[in-house]
Amino acid sequence: MKSTSTTHKTTTSLATSELITQLTTMVTTPHPPNTASFGGDGFFKMDEMKEFDDLRNMELRFTFKSSKDGAIFYVVDDSYWGGTDSFLVIFLSKGRVKVKFNYDGTKTEDIVSNQKYDDGALHVLKVKSTSSNIVLTVDVADNQVSKQPVQSGKVDRFFFGGMPEDDHDNTGELNNFTGCLMDVTINKQPVNFETATKEGTLVKITDKC
Protein backbone atom coordinates (compact mmCIF):
# COMPACT_ATOMS: atom_id res chain seq x y z
CA MET A 1 0.00 0.00 0.00
CA LYS A 2 1.42 3.40 -1.05
CA SER A 3 1.87 6.03 1.62
CA THR A 4 -0.09 9.29 1.45
CA SER A 5 3.18 11.16 0.88
CA THR A 6 4.14 8.95 -2.07
CA THR A 7 0.69 9.29 -3.64
CA HIS A 8 0.81 13.09 -3.26
CA LYS A 9 4.26 13.25 -4.89
CA THR A 10 3.08 11.10 -7.78
CA THR A 11 -0.02 13.25 -8.34
CA THR A 12 2.04 16.46 -8.19
CA SER A 13 4.60 15.04 -10.61
CA LEU A 14 1.90 14.04 -13.12
CA ALA A 15 0.22 17.45 -12.85
CA THR A 16 3.56 19.23 -13.41
CA SER A 17 4.35 17.03 -16.41
CA GLU A 18 0.95 17.70 -18.01
CA LEU A 19 1.30 21.45 -17.42
CA ILE A 20 4.74 21.50 -19.08
CA THR A 21 3.33 19.58 -22.05
CA GLN A 22 0.43 22.05 -22.45
CA LEU A 23 2.70 25.08 -22.22
CA THR A 24 5.24 23.62 -24.67
CA THR A 25 2.50 22.82 -27.18
CA MET A 26 0.97 26.30 -26.87
CA VAL A 27 4.33 28.04 -27.30
CA THR A 28 5.54 25.99 -30.30
CA THR A 29 2.33 25.37 -32.26
CA PRO A 30 1.40 28.01 -34.91
CA HIS A 31 -1.94 29.64 -34.15
CA PRO A 32 -4.39 32.20 -35.56
CA PRO A 33 -4.63 35.64 -33.94
CA ASN A 34 -5.93 34.42 -30.58
CA THR A 35 -3.19 35.94 -28.41
CA ALA A 36 -3.36 39.51 -27.10
CA SER A 37 -1.76 41.88 -24.62
CA PHE A 38 -3.64 44.26 -22.34
CA GLY A 39 -2.31 47.36 -20.61
CA GLY A 40 -5.15 48.04 -18.19
CA ASP A 41 -7.00 50.42 -20.53
CA GLY A 42 -9.41 48.65 -22.86
CA PHE A 43 -10.75 45.28 -23.92
CA PHE A 44 -11.96 43.21 -26.85
CA LYS A 45 -15.71 42.86 -27.42
CA MET A 46 -17.29 40.04 -29.44
CA ASP A 47 -20.99 39.74 -30.30
CA GLU A 48 -20.99 36.22 -31.64
CA MET A 49 -18.96 33.09 -32.25
CA LYS A 50 -20.49 30.20 -34.16
CA GLU A 51 -19.18 27.59 -31.71
CA PHE A 52 -20.31 29.54 -28.62
CA ASP A 53 -24.00 30.37 -28.21
CA ASP A 54 -24.89 28.72 -24.89
CA LEU A 55 -23.54 29.56 -21.45
CA ARG A 56 -24.36 26.03 -20.34
CA ASN A 57 -22.07 24.59 -22.99
CA MET A 58 -18.75 26.40 -22.67
CA GLU A 59 -15.19 25.21 -22.37
CA LEU A 60 -12.88 28.22 -22.23
CA ARG A 61 -9.10 27.64 -22.27
CA PHE A 62 -6.12 29.98 -22.41
CA THR A 63 -2.68 30.66 -21.00
CA PHE A 64 -2.29 33.91 -19.11
CA LYS A 65 0.23 35.95 -17.20
CA SER A 66 -0.33 39.00 -15.04
CA SER A 67 0.87 40.71 -11.89
CA LYS A 68 -2.26 42.78 -11.19
CA ASP A 69 -5.90 42.16 -10.32
CA GLY A 70 -8.41 42.71 -13.10
CA ALA A 71 -11.17 41.30 -15.33
CA ILE A 72 -10.05 38.60 -17.78
CA PHE A 73 -13.28 37.35 -19.40
CA TYR A 74 -16.94 38.37 -19.22
CA VAL A 75 -20.01 36.92 -20.95
CA VAL A 76 -23.59 38.11 -20.54
CA ASP A 77 -27.17 37.29 -21.50
CA ASP A 78 -29.08 40.60 -21.74
CA SER A 79 -32.56 39.11 -22.00
CA TYR A 80 -33.58 39.55 -18.33
CA TRP A 81 -35.28 42.91 -18.39
CA GLY A 82 -35.87 44.40 -14.97
CA GLY A 83 -33.58 41.96 -13.18
CA THR A 84 -29.98 40.86 -12.95
CA ASP A 85 -28.53 39.71 -16.26
CA SER A 86 -27.34 36.14 -16.51
CA PHE A 87 -23.56 36.45 -16.66
CA LEU A 88 -20.21 34.85 -15.92
CA VAL A 89 -17.01 36.76 -15.23
CA ILE A 90 -13.45 35.55 -14.63
CA PHE A 91 -11.02 37.87 -12.89
CA LEU A 92 -7.98 38.07 -10.65
CA SER A 93 -8.78 39.18 -7.10
CA LYS A 94 -5.96 39.50 -4.58
CA GLY A 95 -3.95 37.29 -6.88
CA ARG A 96 -6.44 34.43 -7.00
CA VAL A 97 -8.54 33.47 -10.01
CA LYS A 98 -12.22 33.99 -9.27
CA VAL A 99 -15.27 32.97 -11.29
CA LYS A 100 -18.47 34.85 -10.41
CA PHE A 101 -21.78 34.01 -12.05
CA ASN A 102 -25.53 34.51 -11.75
CA TYR A 103 -27.44 31.28 -11.20
CA ASP A 104 -31.12 32.15 -10.56
CA GLY A 105 -31.74 35.66 -11.85
CA THR A 106 -31.04 37.38 -8.53
CA LYS A 107 -28.24 35.50 -6.76
CA THR A 108 -24.59 34.95 -7.59
CA GLU A 109 -21.97 32.39 -6.64
CA ASP A 110 -18.19 32.69 -6.56
CA ILE A 111 -15.60 29.96 -6.98
CA VAL A 112 -11.98 30.82 -6.18
CA SER A 113 -8.64 29.17 -6.87
CA ASN A 114 -6.61 27.88 -3.94
CA GLN A 115 -3.38 29.47 -5.12
CA LYS A 116 -2.35 32.95 -6.24
CA TYR A 117 -1.39 33.51 -9.87
CA ASP A 118 -0.36 37.18 -10.03
CA ASP A 119 3.34 36.32 -10.25
CA GLY A 120 3.93 37.33 -13.88
CA ALA A 121 4.50 33.71 -14.90
CA LEU A 122 2.54 31.70 -17.46
CA HIS A 123 -0.44 29.74 -16.15
CA VAL A 124 -2.97 27.55 -17.94
CA LEU A 125 -6.66 28.16 -17.14
CA LYS A 126 -9.78 26.23 -18.08
CA VAL A 127 -13.38 27.03 -17.17
CA LYS A 128 -16.04 24.51 -18.14
CA SER A 129 -19.71 25.47 -17.75
CA THR A 130 -22.52 22.93 -18.14
CA SER A 131 -26.15 22.60 -17.08
CA SER A 132 -24.88 20.89 -13.90
CA ASN A 133 -22.05 23.09 -12.63
CA ILE A 134 -18.99 25.16 -13.42
CA VAL A 135 -15.47 23.80 -13.02
CA LEU A 136 -12.42 26.07 -12.69
CA THR A 137 -9.01 24.51 -13.30
CA VAL A 138 -5.68 26.36 -13.11
CA ASP A 139 -2.40 24.63 -13.92
CA VAL A 140 -4.08 21.20 -13.95
CA ALA A 141 -3.98 20.60 -10.19
CA ASP A 142 -5.98 23.57 -8.79
CA ASN A 143 -9.62 22.52 -9.29
CA GLN A 144 -12.76 24.21 -7.93
CA VAL A 145 -16.39 23.21 -8.58
CA SER A 146 -19.52 25.35 -8.18
CA LYS A 147 -22.59 24.31 -6.21
CA GLN A 148 -24.93 25.69 -8.86
CA PRO A 149 -25.00 25.84 -12.69
CA VAL A 150 -25.13 29.08 -14.63
CA GLN A 151 -28.74 30.24 -15.05
CA SER A 152 -29.47 30.40 -18.77
CA GLY A 153 -28.02 29.62 -22.14
CA LYS A 154 -28.20 32.67 -24.40
CA VAL A 155 -24.95 34.47 -25.23
CA ASP A 156 -25.44 38.11 -26.25
CA ARG A 157 -21.99 39.62 -25.74
CA PHE A 158 -18.62 38.52 -24.46
CA PHE A 159 -15.41 40.36 -23.65
CA PHE A 160 -11.73 39.73 -23.02
CA GLY A 161 -9.73 42.05 -20.78
CA GLY A 162 -12.60 43.98 -19.23
CA MET A 163 -16.13 45.22 -19.85
CA PRO A 164 -18.13 48.49 -20.19
CA GLU A 165 -18.76 50.37 -16.94
CA ASP A 166 -22.51 49.76 -17.28
CA ASP A 167 -21.86 46.06 -16.75
CA HIS A 168 -20.35 46.73 -13.33
CA ASP A 169 -23.96 46.53 -12.10
CA ASN A 170 -23.58 42.78 -12.68
CA THR A 171 -19.96 42.14 -11.81
CA GLY A 172 -19.13 44.80 -9.27
CA GLU A 173 -16.41 47.33 -10.09
CA LEU A 174 -13.44 45.63 -11.72
CA ASN A 175 -10.28 47.01 -13.24
CA ASN A 176 -9.42 46.10 -16.80
CA PHE A 177 -6.87 43.35 -17.29
CA THR A 178 -3.14 44.02 -17.33
CA GLY A 179 -1.12 41.20 -18.87
CA CYS A 180 -1.36 38.71 -21.70
CA LEU A 181 -3.81 36.05 -22.88
CA MET A 182 -2.37 33.39 -25.17
CA ASP A 183 -3.94 30.68 -27.33
CA VAL A 184 -7.51 31.51 -26.32
CA THR A 185 -10.08 28.89 -27.36
CA ILE A 186 -13.79 28.39 -26.71
CA ASN A 187 -15.17 24.90 -27.24
CA LYS A 188 -11.81 23.95 -28.78
CA GLN A 189 -12.06 26.66 -31.45
CA PRO A 190 -9.53 29.54 -31.52
CA VAL A 191 -10.97 32.94 -30.67
CA ASN A 192 -10.09 35.30 -33.51
CA PHE A 193 -9.32 38.70 -32.00
CA GLU A 194 -9.19 40.23 -35.49
CA THR A 195 -13.00 39.89 -35.66
CA ALA A 196 -13.47 41.60 -32.28
CA THR A 197 -14.17 45.26 -31.58
CA LYS A 198 -11.28 46.88 -29.74
CA GLU A 199 -12.12 49.38 -27.01
CA GLY A 200 -9.36 51.49 -25.47
CA THR A 201 -5.77 52.18 -26.42
CA LEU A 202 -3.61 49.65 -24.57
CA VAL A 203 -4.99 46.53 -26.26
CA LYS A 204 -3.31 44.75 -29.13
CA ILE A 205 -3.01 41.42 -30.91
CA THR A 206 0.41 39.86 -30.51
CA ASP A 207 2.27 36.68 -31.50
CA LYS A 208 3.14 35.44 -28.02
CA CYS A 209 3.16 36.38 -24.35
Side-chain angles (χ1 to χ4, degrees):
M1 180 178 178
K2 292 184 179 180
S3 67
T4 302
S5 177
T6 301
T7 302
H8 176 72
K9 288 180 179 178
T10 301
T11 302
T12 302
S13 177
L14 289 172
T16 301
S17 177
E18 187 174 341
L19 173 60
I20 291 172
T21 300
Q22 288 187 37
L23 289 174
T24 301
T25 301
M26 289 176 175
V27 170
T28 60
T29 303
H31 54 73
N34 63 339
T35 297
S37 65
F38 302 82
D41 176 23
F43 49 82
F44 284 111
K45 175 192 174 186
M46 304 187 76
D47 293 316
E48 62 180 359
M49 182 175 173
K50 182 174 65 174
E51 297 80 9
F52 178 41
D53 59 3
D54 193 330
L55 281 170
R56 294 164 297 185
N57 179 28
M58 180 189 76
E59 184 177 298
L60 171 68
R61 289 175 178 262
F62 54 79
T63 299
F64 74 96
K65 67 177 179 180
S66 181
S67 57
K68 294 184 178 181
D69 288 349
I72 300 173
F73 175 76
Y74 172 63
V75 56
V76 62
D77 172 359
D78 290 321
S79 63
Y80 288 84
W81 295 100
T84 302
D85 296 328
S86 182
F87 71 91
L88 181 148
V89 60
I90 303 169
F91 56 103
L92 283 173
S93 177
K94 297 182 180 178
R96 287 181 165 80
V97 177
K98 181 179 285 191
V99 179
K100 179 179 181 179
F101 64 97
N102 172 279
Y103 67 84
D104 74 346
T106 59
K107 298 178 182 178
T108 60
E109 182 181 345
D110 296 345
I111 51 176
V112 187
S113 66
N114 284 323
Q115 305 299 321
K116 292 184 176 182
Y117 298 99
D118 58 346
D119 55 4
L122 290 173
H123 300 284
V124 178
L125 181 147
K126 180 176 79 169
V127 172
K128 187 168 185 176
S129 174
T130 69
S131 58
S132 300
N133 57 28
I134 295 172
V135 180
L136 164 67
T137 304
V138 187
D139 290 351
V140 181
D142 193 344
N143 291 281
Q144 306 299 322
V145 182
S146 71
K147 296 178 182 178
Q148 302 286 342
V150 72
Q151 178 195 3
S152 71
K154 190 169 177 286
V155 173
D156 283 314
R157 301 172 286 129
F158 57 104
F159 304 80
F160 291 93
M163 73 282 294
E165 289 187 6
D166 288 348
D167 285 275
H168 289 171
D169 291 342
N170 293 330
T171 65
E173 188 169 347
L174 295 173
N175 292 328
N176 288 335
F177 184 61
T178 300
C180 183
L181 302 180
M182 183 171 71
D183 296 309
V184 184
T185 65
I186 297 179
N187 296 340
K188 301 183 179 179
Q189 297 301 312
V191 170
N192 188 348
F193 285 126
E194 286 187 342
T195 66
T197 300
K198 185 175 76 169
E199 301 286 347
T201 57
L202 302 180
V203 183
K204 65 179 181 178
I205 297 170
T206 184
D207 292 330
K208 60 182 180 179
C209 286

